[in-house]
Amino acid sequence: MEFSIKHVSPEACRSACVIVGVYENRQLSPAAERIDQASQGYLREVLRQGDLSGKLGATLLLRGVPGCHAERVLLVGLGKLREFSDKAYRQATQAAVKALATTEAREAVNCLVELPVPSRNLSWRVRQAVISAEGALYRFDALKSKREDAPRLARMTLAVARSEKSDAEKAAREGQAIAAGMKTMRDLANLPPNHCTPLKLAERARQLSEEFGFECTTLGREEMERLGMNALLAVAKGSCEPPQLLVLKHMGNGGQGKPIVLVGKGVTFDSGGISLKPAADMDEMKFDMSGAASVIAALQIAAQLKLPLDLIGLAPCVENLPSGSATKPGDVVTTMSGQTVEILNTDAEGRLILCDALTYAERFDPACVIDVATLTGACVIALGHVAAGVFGNDERLVRALLQAGEESGDRAWQLPLFDDYQEQLKSNFADFANIGGRPAGAITAAAFLSRFTSKFHWAHLDIAGVAYQSGKEKGSTGRPVPLLAHFLLKRAAKT
Ligand code: BES
Ligand code: MN
Ligand code: ZN
């Protein structure tokens, strides 16, 4: 969808549809109030008759409202004024767009942007309007032989005050880049595993790098062997599909100073390997490359917005399968760092590919390294589908990520990394094991990674619970792209 910013009067603008809000208790938003006055109380009369409750997300489409030049007026329920929040604002926008998508309207004027949201400014509201609108229209039908008609809705005007125009335009550009990044992540992660092998994922990353203007190179098996990435290679061993390490670069600060490095887990299918997973819902392990997809999306966003920072994305990509050549429980490998690992469970593969990618990150002399991974089922048990888990060896970095999550509505929550957890990784046969038993599974996974991060400021995002949804709405959510994007925007603003 195209977005533009305009100062408009809701009753006088000629549009296919004007979107305005109504709180519970029939309280009109300012734009609704103006249309009500122009129409001599038409809206209040509709509300008095009880056709719209004002409940959050309820919608009512009116046509031919007297005194109003738009063909349609879409009333959107906002819930209680006193309870209006970030989430309510997003839900109202999404409900409006979903309702409009079922009409013939090709374009609309969105007046919900005027609504005050506690402790959020106009830029936030504009960004979120764009992201919510695009999110509401997202679908993945590339692999259906018969596609439903796309909604007509193609353009949206965000109505703002005259003085707000330039801030709003900047925010709209940011929102559009973030929304496009989320779409990229969702499209990649929703791909079935036969359409998204490590090589195919690398090919897509290359296409995106050309389209958006960031660098993309890849390392194959031989280079990994030369570098001694034996933990990564151990995971790839069971599959006929060769592993790939994507190296993406956006040098928006000319390569001066130290880069931010993002590392994304790219397991294109996680069967568990010899430690085979149960059959139920195993298809969802195609989403196990969501970390890699979010890193590719972050590079896309940085390139699209020409952010003045140096950003490097690393994505180790493998398929984790059982076979005659697969790694066995008990195998010991020497990681690129020189530390040895006893692979007691081949299903704890994410940390094995990440550890070598983290060691590889050292060569960039990073300002900080953030890894992103659907790493543990235990994190889903701890935090559900609400917040990603955050860990790190640098409190300031962790706090910046928590803050970015809070601002973007893509929340994260810190879990501890006390040294005591390292004991669970003890091995009789190698420096340490790749699993730490049932207790604190998300933490022992992070504790494993921390052994490869002594040379830089590091944080780890466990996104197993937030990257995708199961059930009827099965699919990628696009998280944690908003969190990463807000983090990068903040860093860019500081340089
Ligand atoms: N990809 C999984 C983690 C996962 C589980 C993501 C459920 C999303 C939903 C990871 O590779 C894995 O299998 N982890 C194991 C670790 C265990 C063997 C220590 C897990 O969480 O069970
Ligand atoms: Mn696994
Ligand atoms: Zn996995």
Side-chain angles (χ1 to χ4, degrees):
M1 193 155 47
E2 266 177 50
F3 292 87
S4 58
I5 305 291
K6 261 200 200 121
H7 170 72
V8 293
S9 62
E11 71 282 6
C13 64
R14 296 188 186 279
S15 164
C17 187
V18 185
I19 306 168
V20 299
V22 179
Y23 298 99
E24 264 175 45
N25 310 325
R26 300 181 199 153
Q27 197 174 337
L28 302 181
S29 65
E33 185 66 51
R34 286 183 59 169
I35 292 178
D36 187 60
Q37 274 170 19
S39 65
Q40 270 145 33
Y42 189 86
L43 297 193
R44 280 192 202 285
E45 182 56 22
V46 166
L47 295 177
R48 201 187 58 77
Q49 293 187 6
D51 285 352
L52 182 78
S53 63
K55 274 236 296 271
L56 180 60
T59 58
L60 180 66
L61 188 70
L62 306 173
R63 300 181 126 273
V65 173
C68 178
H69 291 275
E71 287 166 33
R72 304 171 182 79
V73 172
L74 181 67
L75 300 181
V76 185
L78 303 174
K80 293 197 176 73
L81 174 60
R82 282 179 37 221
E83 291 170 9
F84 199 63
S85 62
D86 291 15
K87 197 170 164 192
Y89 177 78
R90 280 192 287 267
Q91 280 177 0
T93 308
Q94 281 162 0
V97 170
K98 287 208 165 123
L100 266 181
T102 65
T103 72
E104 287 294 303
R106 286 164 195 280
E107 141 286 326
V109 173
N110 179 358
C111 296
L112 302 181
V113 180
E114 69 175 353
L115 302 171
V117 181
S119 64
R120 301 302 186 195
N121 61 16
L122 172 84
S123 296
W124 185 92
R125 299 196 308 267
V126 168
R127 270 196 304 268
Q128 293 292 326
V130 174
I131 294 168
S132 301
E134 291 287 14
L137 290 178
Y138 179 82
R139 46 188 184 183
F140 185 79
D141 55 10
L143 301 169
K144 303 248 194 203
S145 62
K146 290 193 193 71
R147 300 192 194 163
E148 278 173 51
D149 290 338
R152 298 250 183 265
L153 188 62
R155 273 174 297 128
M156 178 173 278
T157 302
L158 305 177
V160 304
R162 235 181 230 109
S163 61
E164 297 172 328
K165 237 187 126 193
S166 74
D167 282 353
E169 271 162 1
K170 178 161 179 277
R173 279 194 298 277
E174 292 167 353
Q176 277 174 282
I178 296 170
M182 290 177 77
K183 178 173 159 44
T184 288
M185 174 181 172
R186 295 173 85 173
D187 283 347
L188 291 174
N190 283 334
L191 281 173
N194 61 329
H195 289 259
C196 184
T197 61
L199 277 175
K200 289 178 180 176
L201 184 53
E203 183 51 38
R204 294 217 176 220
R206 216 165 288 127
Q207 284 167 3
L208 290 163
S209 73
E210 277 161 28
E211 186 182 341
F212 289 90
F214 57 91
E215 282 174 56
C216 173
T217 54
T218 57
L219 308 193
R221 187 175 264 143
E222 272 104 70
E223 283 137 309
M224 294 174 187
E225 281 166 0
R226 242 176 282 134
L227 289 164
M229 296 180 154
N230 297 311
L232 199 173
L233 288 164
V235 180
K237 264 175 72 183
S239 168
C240 298
E241 296 292 341
Q244 293 276 291
L245 176 63
L246 312 187
V247 183
L248 316 174
K249 291 185 184 168
H250 162 76
M251 291 307 192
N253 199 26
Q256 311 156 7
K258 299 177 169 204
I260 298 170
V261 179
L262 303 177
V263 181
K265 172 179 174 182
V267 177
T268 60
F269 188 73
D270 181 12
S271 71
I274 296 295
S275 312
L276 192 64
K277 286 182 182 294
D281 300 327
M282 204 203 274
D283 66 289
E284 295 184 356
M285 284 301 119
K286 73 173 185 176
F287 296 117
D288 213 21
M289 35 60 74
S290 295
S294 71
V295 168
I296 295 168
L299 267 288
Q300 171 183 315
I301 293 167
Q304 181 168 358
L305 291 174
K306 300 194 164 57
L307 294 185
L309 39 82
D310 295 329
L311 179 64
I312 292 173
L314 303 176
C317 300
V318 295
E319 198 178 58
N320 186 22
L321 292 184
S323 79
S325 60
T327 291
K328 302 165 289 298
D331 283 359
V332 172
V333 296
T334 304
T335 64
M336 184 177 172
S337 72
Q339 302 176 96
T340 60
V341 175
E342 184 183 17
I343 302 176
L344 285 175
N345 189 318
T346 64
D347 197 11
E349 85 297 340
R351 61 198 80 180
L352 295 174
I353 67 170
L354 290 171
C355 73
D356 281 341
L358 286 167
T359 302
Y360 188 76
E362 287 175 6
R363 68 182 51 206
F364 301 109
D365 187 20
C368 63
V369 177
I370 302 163
D371 79 74
V372 188
T374 47
L375 203 61
T376 64
C379 191
V380 190
I381 301 303
L383 299 172
H385 306 287
V386 175
V390 195
F391 307 79
N393 62 15
D394 180 65
E395 278 310 304
R396 276 181 55 195
L397 179 59
V398 167
R399 251 179 285 135
L401 290 169
L402 290 170
Q403 178 78 26
E406 173 55 36
E407 271 165 22
S408 59
D410 183 7
R411 276 185 302 207
W413 195 256
Q414 187 178 13
L415 296 173
L417 253 188
F418 304 128
D419 222 23
D420 311 52
Y421 292 106
Q422 294 291 352
E423 282 175 36
Q424 288 175 238
L425 295 174
K426 279 203 170 130
S427 160
N428 285 352
F429 303 104
D431 294 347
F432 44 91
N434 77 326
I435 52 169
R438 295 252 297 163
I443 301 175
T444 53
F448 178 96
L449 295 178
S450 77
R451 293 174 176 251
F452 300 85
T453 63
S454 57
K455 301 222 169 76
F456 42 69
H457 301 294
W458 160 75
H460 156 59
L461 287 171
D462 193 331
I463 58 166
V466 301
Y468 64 91
Q469 282 184 285
S470 308
K472 223 170 99 245
E473 300 281 300
K474 191 189 288 183
S476 173
T477 59
R479 294 177 66 184
V481 171
L483 182 157
L484 294 174
H486 272 250
F487 172 79
L488 294 176
L489 282 172
K490 250 293 182 30
R491 292 285 284 227
K494 277 190 194 141
T495 56

